[in-house]
Amino acid sequence: MSETTRHSYDVVVIGAGGAGLRAAIEARQQGKRTAVISKSLFGKAHTVMAEGGAAAALGNVNSSDHWKVHFRDTIRGGKFMNNPRMAELHAKEAPERILELEYWGALFDRTPQGRISQRNFGGHEYPRLAHVGDRTGLEMIRTLQQRVVQLQQADAAEFGHPEAMLKVFAETTVTELLLDGEPGGEDTRIAGAFGYVRETGDYLVFEAPAVVLATGGIGRSFKVTSNSWEYTGDGHALALRAGATLLNMEFVQFHPTGMVWPPSVKGILVTESVRGDGGVLRNSEGRRFMFDYVPDVFRDHYAESEEEADGWYADPANHRRPPELLPRDEVARAINNEVKQGRGSPHGGVFLDVSTRLPAEEIMRRLPSMHHQFKELADVDITAGPMEVGPTCHYVMGGVEVDPDTGASLVPGLFAAGEVAGGMHGSNRLGGNSLSDLLVFGRRCGLGAASYLDGLGEERPDVDPDVIERLGAEAAAPFEHEAGENPYQLQQEIQQTMNDLVGIIRRGPEMEQALESLDKLRERVAGVRAEGDTVYNPGWHLTLDLRNMLLVSEAVARAALERQESRGGHTRDDHPAMSAEWRRSNLVLSLREDRIRLRRQPLDTLRPDLMELFDREELGKYLTEEELPPADRSDG
Ligand code: FAD
């Protein structure tokens, strides 16, 4: 029998990746009693797995870099679907956040002059990713955790206990947000969160007027993914059930390079740094095929011959970029097509080779994790031969609709930052822009939550005891379902459905079929069975994750069926072109009477001074005639 313990905080942050930790640090620095909750071990979040680096226009390697160039690259990468205010805040504030991290102890790789080194990445005009070999996320998490400890030490000295103001609840899963009122009600606001401790199965109630969602992505809804077991879309689903809205869930990033062999590691990421550091893609005929896939919108910026592309590494001022460094959506589609046309590698991918481009010791220095990963998992030495790679579900651009400045959702008291929030990356995220996003908007969310609390004064929302009792009973219900199905079987069917019918290339009838299948799965998931008891029982935990996976999968499929164009992380075989008309609409999803509703909402327009960063010809490829600036405007 599970026990229930109650805690009371000012701010509860759900998620201890980069966004959650940065939000919690900020809330604590603003004097708020803060709890950070993480489903897995403290420190084991996707952020820690980030390899390539964090994008910030520091201008250390090329002094021409500037926040406006970063902004322009981000908007281009997102195919003009980004929330412009978020992209602006991100590009402007990322350098400050990286320097702050260094001030807190992060040890980035250095240039020969001793400045923070920056590397090339797809879609970034200049070398922009601050990095630590190919283990940047590890250093970021280490530094943020160190900052948490530093604050706790200060609290121990001031309040007599290190956890007086900032406490971490590791291996604790939140299953529901608590509300003061009904979901969708006019005066309804956040009152806290409900969850369980993975080890004991005991329930925890967090009373808190402000909750920050920082739960990361949804990748586990797909069969082939770089995401680990926790990423079942919990934050997205919690937000929907609490009455908040999700934005553009159709935009799912399939990273072009995941491992394809052996089967047990299929989907594990091969960092884009391999291409950033000179790796080339070839098909089974030995052809460097990316030259055949440069779309018109990018043609002016990418090399047309191997000679020009190769010259770029040493002399970027006089050469255009290699097409291997196109944004991820373009490269993923190209690989997909090569395999489909029968020009794939033996295990259904293509070849990625850095061994012919860099000396072995340089590969070992720049890409130590990749060398280790391939040697250990596939018995391939990447200093001596090519890797086999193919697309893998990696990141969701869609997420909770938030106010760009504060991270506030539509439900008072509920905030979101990091991968769980939508808007920043438009239809496709550039590599390296997530780590910087986490820092910029994690901090802003912490500030937003603190100022929301200041506005409340002494008044606190109520937590209804009946709701707590109901949530406990609902969590334990799978133990009662004697004739229910195995949760692992149901998970596998959701993943297969999303992979086959709502994957990298989509078609209307297939998505309709996916929605029908998900509807049937929903009935089966309602009766899913958990074996054993509540003490450290991953099978039971999965029964609780499944309804989030289902809800999020339905959100992706519905939005993908609705958007009748191809853009970024949403490719429709039956609507292959990008449509300027469709670009003007965000798709907003909400939950009413347990069903997902969808509506179109106009996308914010670019301010004239930001529009001036693009020439009219380029704008003409994305915007409607009506949105274009006057023809006689001089291009800035
Ligand atoms: P995460 O770091 O994913 O953290 C989410 C947290 O939420 C975790 O602590 C998790 O336990 C917790 N959580 C989830 N659900 C619950 C729940 N129900 N209750 C309680 N806690 C919960 N981006 C880059 O910019 N550069 C890179 O080089 C890069 N490389 C990557 C490599 C890999 C292998 C992967 C998978 C991603 C990479 N990314 C990279 C993407 C980037 O790492 C993620 O988008 C980013 O780290 C997400 O950060 P976050 O703080 O939003 O969430």
Side-chain angles (χ1 to χ4, degrees):
M1 181 67 190
S2 300
E3 302 275 321
T4 303
T5 314
R6 295 173 90 99
H7 298 273
S8 179
Y9 284 91
D10 295 327
V11 180
V12 165
V13 179
I14 308 175
L21 287 179
R22 189 61 191 84
I25 288 167
E26 197 59 38
R28 162 63 195 87
Q29 288 180 165
Q30 298 301 315
K32 307 302 175 204
R33 281 194 72 236
T34 304
V36 190
I37 307 173
S38 97
K39 190 168 173 176
S40 40
L41 292 166
F42 189 46
K44 194 217 157 275
H46 269 168
T47 303
V48 91
M49 293 158 76
E51 293 155 353
L58 292 157
N60 287 354
V61 174
N62 190 323
S63 58
S64 302
D65 207 4
H66 187 273
W67 77 261
K68 287 186 178 175
V69 188
H70 191 183
F71 172 85
R72 186 170 60 199
D73 291 343
T74 301
I75 297 283
R76 271 183 189 143
K79 304 250 162 64
F80 282 69
M81 279 287 320
N82 317 58
N83 177 304
R85 174 74 181 154
M86 288 177 100
E88 181 185 356
L89 289 171
H90 168 256
K92 275 184 177 160
E93 294 178 8
E96 218 176 304
R97 297 282 73 79
I98 294 294
L99 293 174
E100 175 182 72
L101 217 55
E102 185 178 51
Y103 178 69
W104 288 344
L107 295 167
F108 290 102
D109 287 354
R110 320 305 295 184
T111 64
Q113 297 75 30
R115 311 174 81 189
I116 293 176
S117 176
Q118 299 191 267
R119 64 157 47 115
N120 286 304
F121 239 55
H124 292 281
E125 188 164 337
Y126 299 116
R128 190 176 282 144
L129 269 68
H131 58 94
V132 184
D134 56 2
R135 293 175 182 145
T136 313
L138 177 63
E139 183 65 359
M140 186 185 252
I141 285 288
R142 185 195 68 73
T143 307
L144 292 171
Q145 287 190 345
Q146 184 176 302
R147 178 72 184 156
V148 166
V149 171
Q150 205 179 26
L151 290 168
Q152 288 178 326
Q153 284 170 343
D155 290 342
E158 190 176 346
F159 304 106
H161 197 287
E163 291 175 332
M165 293 293 286
L166 182 53
K167 181 169 161 75
V168 177
F169 293 81
E171 294 213 88
T172 299
T173 304
V174 170
T175 55
E176 214 60 87
L177 297 176
L178 301 172
L179 298 172
D180 183 350
E182 289 301 310
E186 213 171 291
D187 300 321
T188 300
R189 51 197 184 147
I190 281 292
F194 176 89
Y196 64 88
V197 182
R198 286 171 56 77
E199 190 184 350
T200 59
D202 287 338
Y203 298 135
L204 294 182
V205 175
F206 294 91
E207 294 172 6
V211 170
V212 176
L213 292 172
T215 49
I218 65 161
R220 293 309 287 191
S221 282
F222 291 80
K223 189 175 165 201
V224 179
T225 179
S226 64
N227 287 199
S228 58
W229 64 268
E230 309 92 300
Y231 295 91
T232 47
D234 297 0
H236 293 76
L238 291 171
L240 270 183
R241 288 200 292 270
T245 43
L246 301 185
L247 206 63
N248 297 336
M249 288 299 288
E250 65 279 26
F251 296 129
V252 177
Q253 182 168 81
F254 293 85
H255 193 292
T257 58
M259 291 180 81
V260 294
W261 182 260
S264 58
V265 300
K266 190 166 179 166
I268 290 185
L269 196 75
V270 178
T271 174
E272 191 169 324
S273 315
V274 177
R275 283 172 288 135
D277 289 348
V280 293
L281 289 163
R282 293 189 193 276
N283 61 20
S284 58
E285 296 164 2
R287 181 171 170 74
R288 207 167 148 187
F289 59 85
M290 278 312 300
F291 289 100
D292 306 332
Y293 291 92
V294 182
D296 282 347
V297 286
F298 291 124
R299 201 165 293 285
D300 295 346
H301 308 281
Y302 286 84
E304 279 167 47
S305 67
E306 292 201 27
E307 196 188 5
E308 187 185 0
D310 293 347
W312 177 84
Y313 289 100
D315 180 15
N318 293 306
H319 296 80
R320 288 176 296 176
R321 306 163 66 75
E324 280 87 0
L325 293 181
L326 275 159
R328 289 176 176 173
D329 54 327
E330 308 292 351
V331 185
R333 272 192 297 270
I335 295 176
N336 195 62
N337 196 47
E338 285 299 304
V339 176
K340 215 165 112 190
Q341 298 302 322
R343 296 188 289 269
S345 63
H347 301 107
V350 293
F351 297 107
L352 172 62
D353 196 355
V354 70
S355 68
T356 53
R357 314 275 292 179
L358 292 176
E361 61 278 12
E362 192 60 15
I363 295 173
M364 297 293 284
R365 192 180 69 78
R366 292 198 207 187
L367 302 164
S369 302
M370 280 303 105
H371 181 263
H372 182 79
Q373 180 174 312
F374 272 90
K375 196 78 200 114
E376 290 298 311
L377 302 178
D379 197 22
V380 168
D381 178 358
I382 68 166
T383 66
M387 303 156 238
E388 277 185 75
V389 295
T392 178
C393 176
H394 184 56
Y395 184 90
V396 62
M397 276 69 70
V400 181
E401 185 183 16
V402 292
D403 170 61
D405 289 71
T406 60
S409 75
L410 289 192
V411 179
L414 183 62
F415 298 78
E419 191 170 340
V420 71
M424 159 66 209
H425 304 284
S427 67
N428 173 53
R429 174 178 71 87
L430 290 186
N433 269 0
S434 174
L435 290 192
S436 39
D437 159 354
L438 311 179
L439 297 173
V440 168
F441 295 104
R443 171 181 163 274
R444 281 187 164 270
C445 244
L447 284 172
S451 99
Y452 172 77
L453 275 154
D454 292 342
L456 289 182
E458 293 302 302
E459 192 227 347
R460 296 260 150 167
D462 283 332
V463 173
D464 181 349
D466 291 347
V467 170
I468 305 299
E469 202 164 309
R470 174 173 60 78
L471 291 175
E474 277 176 14
F479 291 109
E480 313 295 324
H481 298 155
E482 303 253 310
E485 292 187 65
N486 179 321
Y488 292 97
Q489 173 64 30
L490 293 167
Q491 180 191 37
Q492 196 258 327
E493 288 187 37
I494 296 172
Q495 291 171 335
Q496 195 75 54
T497 302
M498 292 304 285
N499 226 75
D500 294 350
L501 305 174
V502 200
I504 184 164
I505 308 289
R506 299 164 174 175
R507 296 166 192 91
E510 289 184 358
M511 288 185 282
E512 280 166 10
Q513 199 186 324
L515 285 165
E516 275 172 36
S517 302
L518 292 172
D519 222 28
K520 288 189 190 128
L521 277 160
R522 179 202 253 271
E523 284 164 33
R524 292 164 61 194
V525 163
V528 64
R529 169 157 175 76
E531 305 276 352
D533 62 27
T534 56
V535 177
Y536 215 103
N537 183 344
W540 173 48
H541 304 160
L542 181 58
T543 64
L544 303 177
D545 291 342
L546 280 174
R547 69 183 189 136
N548 296 338
M549 292 177 73
L550 259 185
L551 191 57
V552 163
S553 300
E554 188 189 337
V556 173
R558 282 213 181 282
L561 182 60
E562 180 76 6
R563 185 173 289 279
Q564 295 183 354
E565 64 157 350
S566 292
R567 181 183 298 276
H570 171 61
T571 304
R572 296 264 317 233
D573 214 22
D574 45 357
H575 296 280
M578 212 163 40
S579 146
E581 244 346 293
W582 261 107
R583 192 203 67 86
R584 303 179 77 173
S585 293
N586 280 323
L587 293 180
V588 178
L589 298 119
S590 53
L591 193 67
R592 258 184 288 137
E593 285 141 20
D594 221 20
R595 302 307 288 183
I596 288 181
R597 316 283 152 154
L598 197 152
R599 70 186 155 79
R600 296 186 197 183
Q601 181 173 283
L603 176 73
D604 289 353
T605 47
L606 279 177
R607 267 200 331 260
D609 60 311
L610 296 175
M611 210 180 279
E612 278 183 15
L613 297 171
F614 305 89
D615 65 32
R616 200 171 188 280
E617 193 192 334
E618 181 172 12
L619 291 173
K621 293 171 184 164
Y622 296 98
L623 310 189
T624 57
E625 197 57 40
E626 192 185 319
E627 295 170 285
L628 284 174
D632 59 354
R633 191 200 77 181
S634 64
D635 289 315

